[in-house]
Amino acid sequence: MLANQHAGTEVIATAKYRGKPFYHAIIEGRPDLPIKEFPKDARGMKLSLSDQGNTSGWLIPYAFLVKSGIDPRDFFQLREGATFGNNVSMIQQGLIDLGSDMDRGRNGMIEAGEMDPAKVVVYWTSQELPNDAICVPKGFDPALKTKIRDILVSLPEDKAQALMGSGYNGFVPATHADYGIIEEAGRVTGKLKS
């Protein structure tokens, strides 16, 4: 969104992770918290968000809170800048009540034995968020743009994984509009100009 706003960069495809072109931001916490409805029941709790450049770890949850009429800095004992792994570790150690993560990261930590899902539960899940974007510069040759997009979209899963890494298994065509939820969050938080 920032590259689009500042330089006109254009989205042409979205990466698929485990077959899906989307993921979710989540807020996790200790299972013993008296939260029936998040964020309403979490006032005054220790919340750790990732750094402000992280979409699922800061931008999306922060925008959700603002749109819910909450100033996160007043409503929570707010910390910023932790990695997802740090948030999970601090929750498991009882140092914080709640922390941001993404469902892909949560699943990976559970599979790797780095998180006990009985000790770290999900209290909030965002709407679907588009995965990583493949972009071209403003004014890029239209025929070449189409050719690149078509090559990416037609890659077999094994070649896509070799290109992108474990879990990533392809691409789908995409446009700027597919990233509208992130653009809106950028405007709500003041990270993007209106």
Side-chain angles (χ1 to χ4, degrees):
M1 292 299 102
L2 290 170
N4 173 267
Q5 186 172 73
H6 295 295
T9 302
E10 183 183 350
V11 174
I12 62 168
T14 298
K16 288 194 296 185
Y17 185 83
R18 295 187 178 180
K20 297 177 182 175
F22 61 85
Y23 70 107
H24 300 89
I26 58 175
I27 297 292
E28 301 169 304
R30 297 190 329 270
D32 59 345
L33 298 175
I35 298 175
K36 298 223 184 318
E37 184 181 335
F38 181 86
K40 185 179 90 167
D41 300 333
R43 179 184 291 277
M45 292 186 182
K46 294 176 184 171
L47 170 65
S48 177
L49 298 178
S50 298
D51 69 85
Q52 293 186 19
N54 189 306
T55 301
S56 55
W58 188 89
L59 181 68
I60 295 299
Y62 202 97
F64 166 76
L65 293 168
V66 170
K67 287 183 354 187
S68 298
I70 290 172
D71 179 341
R73 297 181 194 294
D74 291 335
F75 194 84
F76 296 100
Q77 296 176 54
L78 184 66
R79 301 175 183 200
E80 296 174 306
T83 65
F84 294 146
N86 287 343
N87 281 343
V88 168
S89 178
M90 289 188 291
I91 290 167
Q92 291 182 131
Q93 293 174 50
L95 299 174
I96 60 172
D97 302 305
L98 301 161
S100 62
D101 200 346
M102 63 177 169
D103 57 355
R104 289 185 341 213
R106 176 181 174 83
N107 295 338
M109 291 184 78
I110 291 169
E111 290 166 9
E114 297 167 353
M115 177 198 306
D116 181 345
K119 293 182 179 174
V120 182
V121 299
V122 177
Y123 285 100
W124 174 79
T125 301
S126 74
Q127 295 175 270
E128 292 179 354
L129 305 172
N131 278 337
D132 311 293
I134 305 299
C135 302
V136 295
K138 180 180 182 179
F140 196 75
D141 179 293
L144 187 54
K145 174 176 64 177
T146 300
K147 186 175 182 179
I148 291 169
R149 185 199 63 220
D150 292 348
I151 289 169
L152 289 172
V153 170
S154 67
L155 279 174
E157 285 190 15
D158 61 332
K159 293 210 177 190
Q161 284 201 4
L163 183 69
M164 297 278 293
S166 180
Y168 288 93
N169 58 354
F171 300 90
V172 296
T175 67
H176 180 81
D178 295 313
Y179 289 78
I181 187 171
I182 296 171
E183 185 171 40
E184 178 193 8
R187 294 191 196 295
V188 166
T189 60
K191 297 298 178 187
L192 287 175
K193 296 175 186 165
S194 296

